[in-house]
Amino acid sequence: MLYKFKSKATGDLIMLEPQGKHILKLIGKEPSAKGIILPTEMLAAIDALHAAVEQEELAIQAAKDAARATDAQADAPPIADGPRTISLKQRVVPFIDMLRRAHAEDKEVVWGV
């Protein structure tokens, strides 16, 4: 399943189901087949997404620091960063932009309709 977010203020934004569900949960919405984000809810949703990104970045940095400390204790060469993954920050930037633009024009964001 795909999540297709729509607003009269922006173009459509399409996400795969796991990422769409995750983002909806982060902003306190039920990841159902249909839904709406009202303009009055958008600023809180943006703040929640920024907070989640900050938490993820802190967790990633802590894990890297712990791995480097372990490598230093073992006198092993530092391990290169692993395979590249798409961070939460990269995933939410288009969604935050959609929310900001929709809020500025007092338009809702819907999905599944």
Side-chain angles (χ1 to χ4, degrees):
M1 180 177 129
L2 294 174
Y3 278 96
K4 186 174 185 179
F5 297 97
K6 301 177 185 181
S7 176
K8 291 181 180 179
T10 67
D12 295 349
L13 179 63
I14 299 173
M15 289 187 195
L16 295 174
E17 182 177 14
Q19 291 77 26
K21 280 184 174 182
H22 184 223
I23 287 174
L24 288 172
K25 287 179 183 179
L26 288 173
I27 64 171
K29 288 291 186 176
E30 185 65 34
S32 57
K34 294 181 181 181
I36 186 168
I37 304 168
L38 299 172
T40 57
E41 303 170 316
M42 292 177 185
L43 294 179
I46 291 168
D47 290 343
L49 292 172
H50 282 299
V53 166
E54 187 175 322
Q55 283 182 327
E56 181 186 75
E57 289 176 345
L58 290 172
I60 290 170
Q61 189 59 47
K64 285 181 180 180
D65 292 346
R68 286 189 181 106
T70 302
D71 291 343
Q73 290 174 354
D75 286 333
I79 299 173
D81 290 340
R84 292 278 181 185
T85 59
I86 298 174
S87 69
L88 180 62
K89 182 177 183 177
Q90 291 169 307
R91 290 193 190 282
V92 301
V93 165
F95 195 72
I96 289 173
D97 181 56
M98 176 181 240
L99 292 174
R100 281 189 178 138
R101 292 172 58 193
H103 182 263
E105 293 189 29
D106 200 33
K107 303 291 183 187
E108 58 276 334
V109 172
V110 297
W111 67 93
V113 291

